[in-house]
């Protein structure tokens, strides 16, 4: 691993090296990483206008089954995909962020993830990287001011990594709001969807699927935004308006969601979050490995 002050260069290398065997990604998620650091102690992106087409008749309830089947085939092949995400708005502690990285699959779904995130924080720019392999989790993060001074960092030594295991919040699950999550696609299918000509995205002809689903639980955890289909005592519920562009192979190319966080207790305003995810390089070889042992520390 290089020094974290070289992270922007590594992020650029990731964008340029989509066909390389090993990702070199370094991420940030400072406010979340601060929360994760506590947990460890105790436990551009693109905004692309895509042409639409005439809306077809509402498909049958199995309209997304072919997409789920195509994704699960990638899981079975132990394949991979690269992604980039942009998120804006939402209730505290959510905020705007940009991230990029890659997922590795096993038959059960996403097995490993390497994600780099950058965000603007009070007083400076935050950067962090998270590597998740099974139930093993490694992270490093910092906030740096414009004059180059570190406002905050975790671990306390730049270049080192924090480690955790069996942290439920960092593990991919069927509850994530994501266009490659079969759990979300099955939920969307059960509530109905429409299909349309999605135009061409990055040279690929696409079909656009879209719909709205209202859930009793909305929230955020380390792995991403999540939903719940049963009342669990969380603070937010509300509708998710989603769009999914898929190629001729039925694999997702772009996912867009608008989540309206409605407070369940004590009134308050509805908070809106928009999220856009781009998927690239389905099946491109990706290697995700743990940091060297000598760089892992308990000094948070």
């Amino acid at each position: 691993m290089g020094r974290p002050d070289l992270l922007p260069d590594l992020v650029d290398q990731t964008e340029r090296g989509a066909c390389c065997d090993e990702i070199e990604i370094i991420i940030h998620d400072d406010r979340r990483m601060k929360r994760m650091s506590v947990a460890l102690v105790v436990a551009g992106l693109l905004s692309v206008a895509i042409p639409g087409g005439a809306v077809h008749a509402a498909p049958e309830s199995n309209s997304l089954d072919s997409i789920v089947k195509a994704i699960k085939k990638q899981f079975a092949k132990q394949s991979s995909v690269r992604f980039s995400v942009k998120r804006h708005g939402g209730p505290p502690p959510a905020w705007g962020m940009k991230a990029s990285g890659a997922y590795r699959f096993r038959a059960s779904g996403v097995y490993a993830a390497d994600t780099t995130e950058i965000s603007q924080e009070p007083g400076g720019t935050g950067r962090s990287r998270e590597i998740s392999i099974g139930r093993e989790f490694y992270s490093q993060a910092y906030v740096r001011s414009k004059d180059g001074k570190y406002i905050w960092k975790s671990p306390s030594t730049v270049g080192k990594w924090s480690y955790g295991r069996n942290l439920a919040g960092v593990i991919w699950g069927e509850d994530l709001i994501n266009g490659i999550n079969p759990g979300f696609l099955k939920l969307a299918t059960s509530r109905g969807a429409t299909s349309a000509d999605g135009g061409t995205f990055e040279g690929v002809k696409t079909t656009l699927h879209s719909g709205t689903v209202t859930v009793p639980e909305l929230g955020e955890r380390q792995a991403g935004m999540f939903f719940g289909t049963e009342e669990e005592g969380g603070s937010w519920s509300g509708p998710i308006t989603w769009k999914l562009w898929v190629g001729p192979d039925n694999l997702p190319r772009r996912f867009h969601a608008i989540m309206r966080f409605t407070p369940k207790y004590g009134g308050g305003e509805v908070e809106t979050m928009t999220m856009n995810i781009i998927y690239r390089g389905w099946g491109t070889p990706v290697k995700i490995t743990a940091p060297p042992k000598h760089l892992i520390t308990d000094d948070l």
Side-chain angles (χ1 to χ4, degrees), residues 53-71:
V55 176
H56 303 161
E60 298 178 358
S61 61
N62 64 350
S63 61
L64 302 182
D65 285 358
S66 59
I67 303 172
V68 172
K69 183 178 180 179
I71 292 170

Side-chain angles (χ1 to χ4, degrees), residues 37 41 108 254:
S37 295
V41 171
S108 58
R254 180 190 177 195

Side-chain angles (χ1 to χ4, degrees), residues 27 138 163 198-199 252 266:
I27 108 171
Y138 309 88
Y163 167 75

